[in-house]
Coordinates of all heavy atoms in Angstrom, one line a residue:
M961 N 19.8 26.0 -17.7 CA 19.4 25.3 -16.5 C 20.7 25.0 -15.7 O 21.7 24.6 -16.2 CB 18.7 24.0 -16.8 CG 18.4 23.1 -15.7 SD 16.9 22.4 -16.1 CE 16.5 21.7 -14.5
G962 N 20.6 25.3 -14.4 CA 21.7 25.2 -13.4 C 21.8 23.7 -12.9 O 20.9 22.9 -13.1
S963 N 22.8 23.5 -12.2 CA 23.0 22.2 -11.6 C 23.2 22.4 -10.0 O 23.5 23.4 -9.6 CB 24.1 21.5 -12.2 OG 25.4 22.1 -11.9
Y964 N 22.8 21.3 -9.3 CA 22.9 21.3 -7.8 C 23.9 20.2 -7.4 O 23.7 19.1 -7.9 CB 21.6 21.2 -7.2 CG 21.6 21.1 -5.7 CD1 21.7 22.2 -4.9 CD2 21.4 19.9 -5.1 CE1 21.8 22.1 -3.6 CE2 21.5 19.7 -3.7 CZ 21.7 20.9 -3.0 OH 21.7 20.8 -1.6
T965 N 24.8 20.5 -6.6 CA 25.8 19.5 -6.1 C 25.8 19.6 -4.6 O 25.9 20.7 -4.0 CB 27.2 19.8 -6.6 OG1 27.1 19.8 -8.1 CG2 28.1 18.7 -6.2
Q966 N 25.7 18.5 -3.9 CA 25.9 18.4 -2.5 C 26.9 17.2 -2.2 O 26.5 16.1 -2.4 CB 24.6 18.1 -1.8 CG 24.7 18.1 -0.3 CD 23.4 18.0 0.4 OE1 22.3 18.1 -0.2 NE2 23.4 17.7 1.7
L967 N 28.0 17.6 -1.8 CA 29.1 16.6 -1.5 C 29.5 16.6 -0.1 O 30.1 17.5 0.5 CB 30.4 17.0 -2.4 CG 30.2 17.0 -3.9 CD1 31.4 17.5 -4.5 CD2 29.8 15.7 -4.4
N968 N 29.0 15.6 0.6 CA 29.2 15.4 2.0 C 30.3 14.3 2.2 O 30.2 13.3 1.6 CB 27.9 14.9 2.8 CG 26.9 16.0 2.7 OD1 27.2 17.3 2.9 ND2 25.6 15.6 2.6
Y969 N 31.2 14.6 3.1 CA 32.3 13.8 3.3 C 32.5 13.5 4.8 O 32.3 14.3 5.6 CB 33.6 14.4 2.8 CG 33.7 14.6 1.3 CD1 33.3 15.8 0.8 CD2 34.0 13.6 0.5 CE1 33.3 16.0 -0.6 CE2 34.0 13.7 -0.9 CZ 33.7 14.9 -1.5 OH 33.7 15.1 -2.8
H970 N 32.8 12.2 5.1 CA 33.1 11.8 6.4 C 34.7 11.6 6.4 O 35.2 10.7 5.8 CB 32.5 10.4 6.8 CG 32.8 9.9 8.1 ND1 32.6 8.6 8.5 CD2 33.3 10.6 9.2 CE1 33.0 8.5 9.7 NE2 33.4 9.6 10.2
I971 N 35.4 12.5 7.1 CA 36.8 12.6 7.1 C 37.2 12.1 8.6 O 36.8 12.6 9.5 CB 37.3 13.9 6.8 CG1 36.8 14.4 5.6 CG2 38.8 14.0 7.0 CD1 36.9 15.9 5.3
V972 N 38.1 11.1 8.6 CA 38.7 10.6 9.8 C 40.2 10.7 9.7 O 40.8 10.2 8.7 CB 38.2 9.2 10.1 CG1 38.8 8.6 11.4 CG2 36.8 9.0 10.1
Y973 N 40.8 11.3 10.7 CA 42.3 11.2 10.7 C 42.7 11.2 12.1 O 42.1 11.6 13.1 CB 42.9 12.5 10.0 CG 42.8 13.8 10.6 CD1 43.8 14.3 11.4 CD2 41.7 14.6 10.2 CE1 43.7 15.5 11.9 CE2 41.6 15.9 10.8 CZ 42.6 16.3 11.6 OH 42.4 17.6 12.1
A974 N 44.0 10.5 12.3 CA 44.5 10.3 13.7 C 45.6 11.2 13.9 O 46.3 11.7 13.0 CB 44.9 8.8 13.8
T975 N 46.0 11.3 15.2 CA 47.2 12.1 15.6 C 48.5 11.2 15.2 O 48.4 10.0 15.0 CB 47.2 12.3 17.1 OG1 47.1 11.0 17.8 CG2 46.1 13.2 17.4
K976 N 49.6 11.8 15.2 CA 50.8 11.2 14.9 C 51.1 10.0 15.8 O 51.0 10.2 17.0 CB 52.0 12.2 14.8 CG 53.2 11.6 14.3 CD 54.3 12.7 14.1 CE 55.5 12.1 13.4 NZ 56.4 13.2 13.1
Y977 N 51.3 8.9 15.3 CA 51.6 7.6 16.1 C 50.4 7.3 17.0 O 50.5 6.6 18.0 CB 52.9 7.8 17.0 CG 54.1 8.1 16.2 CD1 54.7 9.2 16.4 CD2 54.5 7.3 15.1 CE1 55.9 9.6 15.7 CE2 55.6 7.6 14.3 CZ 56.3 8.8 14.7 OH 57.4 9.1 13.9
R978 N 49.2 7.8 16.7 CA 48.0 7.8 17.5 C 48.2 8.1 19.0 O 47.6 7.6 19.9 CB 47.4 6.4 17.4 CG 46.9 6.1 16.0 CD 46.0 5.0 15.7 NE 44.7 5.2 16.4 CZ 43.6 5.5 15.8 NH1 43.6 5.6 14.5 NH2 42.5 5.4 16.4
H979 N 49.1 9.1 19.1 CA 49.4 9.6 20.5 C 48.1 10.4 21.0 O 47.5 11.1 20.3 CB 50.6 10.6 20.5 CG 51.0 11.1 21.7 ND1 50.5 12.2 22.3 CD2 51.9 10.5 22.7 CE1 51.0 12.4 23.5 NE2 51.9 11.4 23.8
P980 N 47.7 10.1 22.2 CA 46.5 10.7 22.7 C 46.6 12.2 23.1 O 46.6 12.6 24.3 CB 46.1 9.9 24.0 CG 47.4 9.3 24.4 CD 48.2 9.2 23.2
S981 N 46.9 13.0 22.2 CA 47.2 14.5 22.3 C 46.0 15.4 22.3 O 46.2 16.6 22.7 CB 48.3 14.9 21.4 OG 47.9 14.7 20.1
I982 N 44.8 14.9 21.9 CA 43.7 15.8 21.9 C 43.0 15.7 23.3 O 42.1 14.9 23.5 CB 42.7 15.4 20.7 CG1 43.5 15.5 19.4 CG2 41.6 16.5 20.7 CD1 42.6 15.0 18.2
I983 N 43.5 16.4 24.2 CA 43.0 16.3 25.6 C 41.7 17.1 25.8 O 41.4 18.1 24.9 CB 44.0 16.9 26.6 CG1 44.3 18.3 26.3 CG2 45.2 16.0 26.7 CD1 45.3 18.9 27.4
P984 N 40.8 16.7 26.7 CA 39.5 17.4 26.8 C 39.6 18.9 27.0 O 38.7 19.6 26.5 CB 38.9 16.7 28.0 CG 39.5 15.4 28.1 CD 40.9 15.6 27.6
D985 N 40.6 19.4 27.6 CA 40.8 20.9 27.8 C 40.8 21.7 26.5 O 40.3 22.8 26.5 CB 42.0 21.2 28.6 CG 41.9 20.6 30.1 OD1 40.8 20.3 30.5 OD2 43.0 20.5 30.8
I986 N 41.4 21.1 25.4 CA 41.5 21.9 24.2 C 40.6 21.3 23.1 O 40.6 21.9 22.0 CB 42.9 21.8 23.7 CG1 43.4 20.4 23.3 CG2 43.9 22.5 24.7 CD1 44.7 20.4 22.6
R987 N 39.9 20.2 23.3 CA 39.1 19.6 22.3 C 38.1 20.5 21.6 O 38.1 20.6 20.4 CB 38.5 18.4 22.9 CG 37.8 17.5 21.8 CD 37.4 16.2 22.3 NE 38.5 15.3 22.8 CZ 38.5 14.6 23.8 NH1 37.5 14.3 24.6 NH2 39.6 13.9 24.2
E988 N 37.3 21.2 22.4 CA 36.3 22.1 21.8 C 36.9 23.3 21.0 O 36.4 23.6 19.9 CB 35.3 22.7 22.9 CG 34.4 21.6 23.5 CD 33.6 20.8 22.4 OE1 33.0 21.5 21.5 OE2 33.5 19.6 22.5
R989 N 37.9 23.8 21.6 CA 38.6 24.9 20.8 C 39.2 24.4 19.5 O 39.2 25.1 18.5 CB 39.6 25.6 21.7 CG 39.0 26.4 22.9 CD 40.1 27.1 23.6 NE 41.0 26.2 24.1 CZ 42.3 26.5 24.4 NH1 42.7 27.8 24.3 NH2 43.1 25.7 24.9
L990 N 39.8 23.2 19.5 CA 40.3 22.6 18.3 C 39.2 22.4 17.3 O 39.4 22.7 16.1 CB 41.1 21.3 18.6 CG 41.5 20.5 17.4 CD1 42.6 21.3 16.7 CD2 42.0 19.1 17.8
Y991 N 38.1 21.9 17.7 CA 37.0 21.6 16.8 C 36.5 22.9 16.2 O 36.2 23.0 15.0 CB 35.8 21.0 17.5 CG 36.2 19.5 18.0 CD1 35.3 18.9 18.8 CD2 37.3 18.8 17.4 CE1 35.5 17.5 19.2 CE2 37.5 17.6 17.9 CZ 36.7 16.8 18.8 OH 36.9 15.6 19.2
E992 N 36.5 24.0 17.0 CA 36.1 25.3 16.4 C 37.1 25.8 15.4 O 36.6 26.3 14.3 CB 36.0 26.3 17.6 CG 34.7 26.1 18.5 CD 34.8 27.0 19.7 OE1 35.6 27.9 19.7 OE2 33.9 26.7 20.6
Y993 N 38.3 25.6 15.6 CA 39.4 26.0 14.7 C 39.3 25.2 13.4 O 39.4 25.8 12.4 CB 40.7 25.8 15.4 CG 41.8 26.2 14.5 CD1 42.2 27.6 14.4 CD2 42.6 25.3 13.7 CE1 43.2 28.0 13.7 CE2 43.6 25.8 12.8 CZ 43.9 27.2 12.8 OH 44.9 27.6 12.0
I994 N 39.0 23.9 13.5 CA 38.8 23.0 12.3 C 37.6 23.5 11.6 O 37.7 23.6 10.2 CB 38.8 21.5 12.7 CG1 40.0 21.1 13.2 CG2 38.2 20.7 11.5 CD1 40.0 19.7 13.9
G995 N 36.6 23.9 12.3 CA 35.4 24.4 11.6 C 35.7 25.7 10.8 O 35.2 25.9 9.7
G996 N 36.4 26.5 11.4 CA 36.9 27.8 10.7 C 37.7 27.5 9.5 O 37.5 28.2 8.5
T997 N 38.5 26.6 9.6 CA 39.3 26.1 8.4 C 38.5 25.6 7.2 O 38.7 26.0 6.1 CB 40.4 25.1 8.8 OG1 41.2 25.6 9.8 CG2 41.2 24.7 7.6
I998 N 37.4 24.8 7.6 CA 36.5 24.3 6.6 C 35.7 25.5 6.0 O 35.5 25.6 4.8 CB 35.6 23.2 7.2 CG1 36.5 22.0 7.5 CG2 34.5 22.9 6.3 CD1 35.7 20.9 8.4
R999 N 35.3 26.4 6.8 CA 34.5 27.6 6.3 C 35.4 28.4 5.4 O 34.9 28.9 4.4 CB 34.0 28.4 7.4 CG 32.7 27.8 8.1 CD 32.0 28.7 9.1 NE 32.9 29.1 10.2 CZ 33.1 28.4 11.3 NH1 32.5 27.2 11.4 NH2 33.9 28.7 12.3
A1000 N 36.6 28.5 5.7 CA 37.6 29.3 4.9 C 37.8 28.7 3.5 O 38.1 29.4 2.5 CB 38.9 29.5 5.6
K1001 N 37.5 27.4 3.4 CA 37.6 26.7 2.2 C 36.3 26.6 1.5 O 36.1 25.7 0.6 CB 38.1 25.3 2.4 CG 39.6 25.2 2.9 CD 40.6 25.7 1.8 CE 42.0 25.7 2.2 NZ 42.8 26.2 1.2
K1002 N 35.3 27.4 1.8 CA 34.0 27.4 1.3 C 33.2 26.2 1.5 O 32.5 25.6 0.7 CB 34.0 27.8 -0.2 CG 34.6 29.1 -0.4 CD 34.5 29.5 -1.8 CE 35.0 30.9 -2.0 NZ 36.2 31.1 -2.7
G1003 N 33.5 25.6 2.7 CA 32.8 24.3 3.0 C 31.9 24.6 4.3 O 31.9 25.7 4.8
T1004 N 31.1 23.6 4.7 CA 30.2 23.7 5.9 C 30.5 22.5 6.8 O 30.4 21.3 6.3 CB 28.7 23.7 5.4 OG1 28.5 24.7 4.4 CG2 27.8 23.8 6.6
L1005 N 30.7 22.8 8.0 CA 30.9 21.8 9.0 C 29.6 21.3 9.5 O 28.8 22.2 9.9 CB 31.8 22.3 10.2 CG 32.0 21.3 11.2 CD1 32.9 20.1 10.8 CD2 32.7 21.9 12.5
I1006 N 29.3 20.0 9.3 CA 28.0 19.5 9.7 C 28.1 19.0 11.1 O 27.3 19.3 12.0 CB 27.5 18.4 8.7 CG1 27.3 19.0 7.4 CG2 26.2 17.8 9.2 CD1 27.1 18.0 6.3
E1007 N 29.2 18.1 11.4 CA 29.3 17.5 12.7 C 30.8 17.3 12.8 O 31.5 16.9 11.9 CB 28.6 16.3 12.8 CG 28.4 15.7 14.1 CD 27.6 16.5 15.1 OE1 26.6 17.0 14.7 OE2 28.0 16.6 16.3
I1008 N 31.3 17.3 14.1 CA 32.7 17.0 14.4 C 32.7 16.3 15.8 O 31.9 16.6 16.6 CB 33.6 18.2 14.4 CG1 35.0 17.9 14.4 CG2 33.2 19.2 15.4 CD1 36.0 19.0 14.0
G1009 N 33.6 15.4 15.9 CA 33.8 14.7 17.2 C 35.0 13.9 17.1 O 35.8 13.9 16.2
G1010 N 35.2 13.1 18.2 CA 36.4 12.2 18.2 C 36.8 12.0 19.7 O 36.1 12.3 20.6
I1011 N 38.0 11.4 19.7 CA 38.5 11.1 21.1 C 40.0 11.6 21.1 O 40.4 12.3 20.2 CB 38.4 9.6 21.5 CG1 39.2 8.7 20.4 CG2 37.0 9.2 21.6 CD1 39.2 7.2 20.8
A1012 N 40.8 11.2 22.1 CA 42.1 11.7 22.2 C 43.1 11.5 21.1 O 44.0 12.1 20.9 CB 42.7 11.2 23.6
D1013 N 42.8 10.4 20.3 CA 43.8 10.1 19.3 C 43.3 10.2 17.8 O 44.0 9.9 16.9 CB 44.5 8.7 19.5 CG 43.5 7.6 19.3 OD1 42.2 7.9 19.1 OD2 43.9 6.4 19.3
H1014 N 42.0 10.6 17.6 CA 41.5 10.8 16.3 C 40.3 11.7 16.2 O 39.7 11.9 17.2 CB 41.2 9.5 15.6 CG 40.1 8.8 16.1 ND1 40.1 7.8 17.1 CD2 38.8 8.8 15.6 CE1 38.9 7.4 17.3 NE2 38.1 7.9 16.4
V1015 N 40.0 12.3 15.0 CA 39.0 13.2 14.8 C 38.1 12.7 13.7 O 38.6 12.1 12.7 CB 39.6 14.6 14.4 CG1 38.4 15.5 14.1 CG2 40.4 15.1 15.5
H1016 N 36.8 12.8 13.9 CA 35.8 12.5 12.9 C 35.2 13.8 12.4 O 34.7 14.6 13.3 CB 34.7 11.6 13.4 CG 35.0 10.3 13.6 ND1 34.8 9.2 12.7 CD2 35.7 9.7 14.7 CE1 35.3 8.1 13.2 NE2 35.8 8.3 14.4
I1017 N 35.1 14.1 11.1 CA 34.5 15.3 10.6 C 33.5 14.9 9.6 O 33.8 14.1 8.7 CB 35.6 16.2 9.9 CG1 36.7 16.6 10.9 CG2 34.9 17.4 9.3 CD1 37.9 17.2 10.3
L1018 N 32.3 15.4 9.6 CA 31.3 15.4 8.6 C 31.1 16.7 8.0 O 30.7 17.7 8.8 CB 30.0 14.8 9.2 CG 28.8 14.6 8.1 CD1 29.3 13.6 7.1 CD2 27.6 14.2 8.7
A1019 N 31.5 17.0 6.7 CA 31.4 18.3 6.2 C 30.9 18.2 4.7 O 31.1 17.2 4.0 CB 32.9 18.9 6.2
N1020 N 30.4 19.3 4.4 CA 30.0 19.6 3.0 C 31.0 20.4 2.4 O 31.3 21.5 2.8 CB 28.5 20.3 2.9 CG 28.0 20.6 1.6 OD1 28.6 21.4 0.9 ND2 27.0 19.9 1.2
L1021 N 31.7 19.9 1.3 CA 32.8 20.6 0.7 C 32.4 21.1 -0.7 O 31.6 20.5 -1.4 CB 34.0 19.6 0.6 CG 34.5 19.2 1.9 CD1 35.7 18.3 1.7 CD2 34.9 20.3 2.9
S1022 N 33.1 22.2 -1.1 CA 32.8 22.7 -2.5 C 33.3 21.8 -3.5 O 34.4 21.2 -3.5 CB 33.6 24.1 -2.5 OG 33.6 24.6 -3.9
P1023 N 32.5 21.6 -4.6 CA 33.0 20.8 -5.7 C 34.1 21.4 -6.5 O 34.7 20.7 -7.3 CB 31.7 20.6 -6.6 CG 30.8 21.8 -6.2 CD 31.2 22.2 -4.8
S1024 N 34.5 22.6 -6.3 CA 35.5 23.2 -7.1 C 36.9 22.9 -6.4 O 37.9 23.3 -7.0 CB 35.3 24.7 -7.1 OG 35.3 25.4 -5.8
L1025 N 37.0 22.3 -5.2 CA 38.2 22.0 -4.6 C 38.4 20.5 -4.5 O 37.4 19.8 -4.4 CB 38.2 22.6 -3.2 CG 38.0 24.1 -3.1 CD1 37.9 24.5 -1.6 CD2 39.2 24.8 -3.6
A1026 N 39.7 20.1 -4.6 CA 40.0 18.7 -4.4 C 39.9 18.3 -2.9 O 40.4 19.0 -2.1 CB 41.5 18.4 -5.0
V1027 N 39.3 17.2 -2.6 CA 39.1 16.7 -1.3 C 40.5 16.6 -0.7 O 40.7 17.0 0.5 CB 38.4 15.5 -1.2 CG1 38.3 14.9 0.2 CG2 36.9 15.6 -1.8
S1028 N 41.5 16.0 -1.4 CA 42.8 15.9 -0.8 C 43.5 17.2 -0.3 O 44.2 17.2 0.6 CB 43.7 15.1 -1.8 OG 43.8 15.9 -3.0
D1029 N 43.2 18.3 -1.1 CA 43.7 19.6 -0.7 C 43.1 20.1 0.5 O 43.7 20.7 1.4 CB 43.6 20.6 -1.9 CG 44.4 20.3 -3.1 OD1 45.4 19.5 -2.9 OD2 44.1 20.8 -4.2
V1030 N 41.8 20.0 0.7 CA 41.1 20.5 1.9 C 41.5 19.6 3.1 O 41.8 20.3 4.2 CB 39.5 20.3 1.6 CG1 38.8 20.7 2.9 CG2 39.1 21.2 0.5
V1031 N 41.6 18.3 2.9 CA 42.1 17.5 4.1 C 43.5 17.8 4.5 O 43.8 17.9 5.7 CB 41.9 16.0 3.7 CG1 42.6 15.1 4.9 CG2 40.4 15.7 3.6
R1032 N 44.4 18.0 3.5 CA 45.7 18.4 3.8 C 45.8 19.7 4.6 O 46.5 19.8 5.6 CB 46.5 18.6 2.5 CG 47.9 19.0 2.7 CD 48.5 19.6 1.4 NE 47.9 20.8 1.0 CZ 47.6 21.1 -0.2 NH1 47.9 20.4 -1.2 NH2 47.0 22.2 -0.4
D1033 N 45.0 20.7 4.2 CA 44.9 22.0 4.9 C 44.3 21.9 6.3 O 44.9 22.5 7.2 CB 44.2 23.0 4.0 CG 44.8 23.4 2.7 OD1 46.1 23.1 2.7 OD2 44.2 24.0 1.9
I1034 N 43.3 21.1 6.4 CA 42.7 20.8 7.8 C 43.8 20.2 8.7 O 44.0 20.6 9.9 CB 41.5 20.0 7.7 CG1 40.4 20.6 7.0 CG2 41.1 19.5 9.1 CD1 39.2 19.8 6.7
K1035 N 44.5 19.2 8.2 CA 45.5 18.5 9.0 C 46.7 19.4 9.3 O 47.1 19.5 10.5 CB 46.0 17.2 8.3 CG 44.9 16.1 8.3 CD 45.4 14.9 7.5 CE 46.5 14.2 8.2 NZ 46.9 13.0 7.6
A1036 N 47.2 20.1 8.3 CA 48.3 21.0 8.6 C 48.0 22.1 9.5 O 48.7 22.4 10.5 CB 48.8 21.5 7.3
N1037 N 46.8 22.8 9.3 CA 46.5 23.9 10.1 C 46.1 23.5 11.6 O 46.5 24.1 12.5 CB 45.2 24.6 9.6 CG 45.6 25.4 8.3 OD1 46.7 25.6 7.9 ND2 44.5 25.7 7.5
S1038 N 45.5 22.3 11.7 CA 45.1 21.9 13.1 C 46.4 21.5 13.9 O 46.6 21.7 15.0 CB 44.1 20.8 13.1 OG 44.5 19.7 12.4
S1039 N 47.3 20.8 13.1 CA 48.6 20.4 13.8 C 49.4 21.6 14.1 O 50.0 21.7 15.3 CB 49.4 19.6 12.7 OG 50.6 19.3 13.3
H1040 N 49.4 22.7 13.3 CA 50.2 23.9 13.7 C 49.5 24.5 14.9 O 50.2 25.0 15.8 CB 50.1 24.8 12.4 CG 50.8 26.1 12.6 ND1 52.2 26.2 12.8 CD2 50.4 27.3 12.8 CE1 52.6 27.4 13.0 NE2 51.5 28.2 13.1
W1041 N 48.1 24.5 14.9 CA 47.5 25.2 16.0 C 47.7 24.4 17.3 O 47.9 25.1 18.4 CB 45.9 25.1 15.7 CG 45.1 25.8 16.8 CD1 44.7 27.1 16.9 CD2 44.5 25.2 18.0 NE1 44.0 27.4 18.0 CE2 43.8 26.2 18.7 CE3 44.4 23.9 18.4 CZ2 43.1 26.0 19.8 CZ3 43.7 23.6 19.5 CH2 43.1 24.7 20.3
M1042 N 47.8 23.1 17.2 CA 48.1 22.3 18.5 C 49.5 22.6 19.0 O 49.6 22.6 20.3 CB 47.9 20.8 18.2 CG 46.6 20.3 17.9 SD 45.6 20.2 19.4 CE 46.4 18.7 20.2
K1043 N 50.4 22.9 18.2 CA 51.7 23.2 18.6 C 51.8 24.5 19.2 O 52.6 24.8 20.1 CB 52.8 23.0 17.5 CG 52.9 21.6 17.0 CD 53.8 21.5 15.8 CE 53.9 20.1 15.3 NZ 54.7 20.0 14.2

């Protein structure tokens, strides 16, 4: 008999020093990029939003990965993309 796992996480993280750097012009493209990062980690983006200084992510993540590793990769990749 198999097992079923559904792990939904609400992830919130802020920009460095809460600087309002997520301007409306790039917000949607950033969200798409974050969604791609989550999909690359075998996760599913359910919802994403935020304002100029922080991001809210609701995602279903794989039970085979550590949440801390996925969040680290999301933050590092999105920061690199912003630069």
Side-chain angles (χ1 to χ4, degrees):
M961 177 145 189
S963 64
Y964 176 76
T965 304
Q966 183 174 348
L967 301 172
N968 294 323
Y969 295 95
H970 179 201
I971 302 163
V972 181
Y973 69 93
T975 58
K976 189 171 186 176
Y977 306 119
R978 295 200 63 109
H979 186 269
S981 56
I982 306 172
I983 58 174
D985 295 342
I986 63 166
R987 190 170 294 149
E988 289 305 314
R989 290 186 300 156
L990 174 63
Y991 292 168
E992 290 172 11
Y993 184 81
I994 292 171
T997 301
I998 292 170
R999 284 188 298 278
K1001 295 289 179 183
K1002 297 186 176 109
T1004 304
L1005 179 65
I1006 299 169
E1007 191 69 40
I1008 189 166
I1011 57 174
D1013 67 350
H1014 71 274
V1015 176
H1016 288 262
I1017 300 167
L1018 180 61
N1020 180 291
L1021 301 178
S1022 171
S1024 64
L1025 299 173
V1027 177
S1028 60
D1029 291 342
V1030 175
V1031 172
R1032 180 197 62 220
D1033 291 344
I1034 292 170
K1035 290 176 68 175
N1037 292 344
S1038 61
S1039 175
H1040 182 72
W1041 184 86
M1042 290 283 291
K1043 290 177 184 176

